[in-house]
Amino acid sequence: MRLAILIIVLLILEYYSFVALNTFSKSRIVNLIYFAITITLYSYIGYSFYTTNFSKGQTQRSMFLMSIVLLIVLPKLILAIPLLVQDILRIFFGVGRKIVGTESTAFLPERRKFVTQVALGMAAIPFLSIIYGMAKGKYNFKVMKQTIYFDDLPEAFDGFTITQISDLHAGSLDDIEKIEYAVDLINEQNSDVFVFTGDIVNSLAEEMDPLIATLSKVKKHPFGNYSILGNHDYGEYVKFNSEEDKKKNFEEIKKNHGKIGWRLLLNENVTFTKDNEIINLIGVENWGLKFKRAGDLPLASKGLKPETFKVLLTHDPSHWEAEVVENPMNYGLTLSGHTHGMQFGIEIPGYFQWSPVKYVYPQWAGLYQKAKKNYIYVNRGFGFHAFAGRVGINPEITVLELKKKR
């Protein structure tokens, strides 16, 4: 039944694509070329779905395949909608003419060429955007700088800087030179501490093998390099031969953090001391309203005092409103990732930002504040997943400066 519905939808999309093509050219050669390209692409998609082993989770091949599907289907869907609406109206007016007995005109009014031109223009936008996102957008790293003011920040840490990246998704990355460039950008920031907020892989520890040498070049920051786990790091989106293999994969993923010089915080905390004043860095395992809840905030905060300034690392921003905001332990700043900004949206820095993911995650990109003293910064992600590209939402290296409010 699902397959039948899918075939019907695709036939409708192809019909309207052919209608639009014939609006501008009725050449038989052009039609043959169009059909040849269409049949070739659908054959490639069908063969790839048949031969791809999806049990290994997201791979570069599977993401490229899904990106090609998106490239073909989304523009044609946008093209078909106005033409379908136009045809419904044509039928409606045709029936009306029949009822009132207007015999001097054709039953169906002619399609308006203007509507077809507008539909083609609308379809061209996602088509070109997806191509750009796959070719360049996915590695168009941007350094996003944000200053945040706190009443309770110790004087000694006034001006303290944090470089954050998130959502590496190692198995997706296919250009070592671009990653080396991003590592250079990270090192150029000369921050006091470096943090990574989860999803180092798509699912498998082996994804990290080609990247260990490059990521090891992230320099040791004065207060250290720290990391946490994300929902993808537990290997729950692939099939393992046994529970033992799954556990072994998870242990290898955790070891990979150490191999590149990042201290993995597993529901634990560390203390930074400067001029006899302190702040705490807390790292929890993944905790999400819709994903795995391995994070234990009370355990991670064991031994800490409510009055001490704290920075919390938690992968999923849904954790913030659920357990962190107005928590009596006083978590002043939370750093998260997870959303990727959906890798699709519109941003005019300082003026406007939108992505469909905002309807799922209220905090999805950038800085948010609640209860006057609680802040969260959501990183847009370093890598990519599902769609092998980024449109409008760039991969991000965040630099946060903590300032004492005067």
Side-chain angles (χ1 to χ4, degrees), residues 69-216:
V69 172
L70 187 64
L71 180 65
I72 295 173
V73 174
L74 182 59
K76 289 184 178 182
L77 179 63
I78 292 173
L79 171 66
I81 290 174
L83 297 183
L84 176 61
V85 171
Q86 181 182 215
D87 277 356
I88 292 172
L89 292 175
R90 288 171 68 222
I91 293 171
F92 175 79
F93 287 118
V95 171
R97 288 176 177 179
K98 189 72 173 177
I99 292 173
V100 299
T102 307
E103 301 293 344
S104 59
T105 57
F107 172 69
L108 289 179
E110 291 186 3
R111 286 191 177 91
R112 296 183 62 185
K113 186 175 181 180
F114 171 73
V115 175
T116 306
Q117 291 174 329
V118 171
L120 281 168
M122 293 169 57
I125 295 173
F127 181 78
L128 296 174
S129 297
I130 291 170
I131 290 176
Y132 171 83
M134 293 173 65
K136 185 175 180 181
K138 63 184 179 182
Y139 290 123
N140 190 24
F141 294 101
K142 298 295 182 183
V143 176
M144 308 288 282
K145 296 188 177 184
Q146 178 76 58
T147 301
I148 313 174
Y149 293 86
F150 300 92
D151 290 318
D152 56 345
L153 182 70
E155 288 283 354
F157 289 89
D158 185 29
F160 189 80
T161 53
I162 304 169
T163 291
Q164 176 199 9
I165 66 171
S166 190
D167 300 88
L168 187 74
H169 289 284
S172 304
L173 304 176
D174 56 4
D175 191 327
I176 294 297
E177 288 188 4
K178 296 294 185 182
I179 308 308
E180 289 177 345
Y181 167 72
V183 168
D184 289 340
L185 282 179
I186 291 169
N187 291 336
E188 286 172 9
Q189 306 314 309
N190 292 316
S191 293
D192 293 302
V193 67
F194 168 85
V195 299
F196 170 75
T197 47
D199 277 0
I200 201 168
V201 294
N202 291 336
S203 291
L204 302 176
E206 64 193 44
E207 298 170 27
M208 281 290 291
D209 293 347
L211 295 172
I212 287 177
T214 299
L215 293 173
S216 297

Side-chain angles (χ1 to χ4, degrees), residues 232-255:
H232 279 269
D233 298 323
Y234 295 86
E236 297 194 343
Y237 304 113
V238 296
K239 294 180 181 179
F240 291 93
N241 294 327
S242 66
E243 190 64 27
E244 188 63 32
D245 285 345
K246 182 179 179 180
K247 290 179 180 178
K248 182 179 179 181
N249 179 70
F250 184 49
E251 292 303 316
E252 289 300 317
I253 286 173
K254 290 189 287 186
K255 288 178 183 178

Side-chain angles (χ1 to χ4, degrees), residues 177-358:
E177 288 188 4
K178 296 294 185 182
I179 308 308
E180 289 177 345
Y181 167 72
V183 168
D184 289 340
L185 282 179
I186 291 169
N187 291 336
E188 286 172 9
Q189 306 314 309
N190 292 316
S191 293
D192 293 302
V193 67
F194 168 85
V195 299
F196 170 75
T197 47
D199 277 0
I200 201 168
V201 294
N202 291 336
S203 291
L204 302 176
E206 64 193 44
E207 298 170 27
M208 281 290 291
D209 293 347
L211 295 172
I212 287 177
T214 299
L215 293 173
S216 297
K217 295 177 183 177
V218 174
K219 68 181 181 181
K220 179 69 178 296
H221 287 59
F223 284 83
N225 298 9
Y226 298 90
S227 58
I228 58 172
L229 298 173
N231 55 298
H232 279 269
D233 298 323
Y234 295 86
E236 297 194 343
Y237 304 113
V238 296
K239 294 180 181 179
F240 291 93
N241 294 327
S242 66
E243 190 64 27
E244 188 63 32
D245 285 345
K246 182 179 179 180
K247 290 179 180 178
K248 182 179 179 181
N249 179 70
F250 184 49
E251 292 303 316
E252 289 300 317
I253 286 173
K254 290 189 287 186
K255 288 178 183 178
N256 279 334
H257 289 253
K259 289 179 182 179
I260 56 177
W262 302 353
R263 178 180 169 183
L264 180 61
L265 299 177
L266 298 167
N267 294 323
E268 55 188 311
N269 64 78
V270 294
T271 298
F272 299 153
T273 302
K274 185 177 181 183
D275 297 339
N276 295 319
E277 293 186 297
I278 65 171
I279 65 173
N280 301 127
L281 179 71
I282 303 139
V284 297
E285 292 192 51
N286 189 77
W287 193 106
L289 287 175
K290 300 178 181 180
F291 295 94
K292 187 178 183 69
R293 297 187 186 181
D296 188 332
L297 189 56
L299 175 62
S301 305
K302 188 175 181 180
L304 303 184
K305 298 178 180 179
E307 62 269 21
T308 305
F309 185 85
K310 302 174 188 68
V311 178
L312 171 66
L313 309 181
T314 182
H315 177 68
D316 191 322
S318 66
H319 190 197
W320 187 60
E321 287 191 329
E323 287 195 343
V324 179
V325 173
E326 296 191 273
N327 188 301
M329 279 300 290
N330 185 29
Y331 302 95
L333 176 62
T334 299
L335 303 181
S336 297
H338 182 63
T339 72
H340 300 206
M342 203 176 171
Q343 298 167 211
F344 173 83
I346 302 170
E347 284 199 274
I348 304 174
Y351 295 95
F352 179 78
Q353 66 177 30
W354 175 88
S355 169
V357 78
K358 71 174 291 184

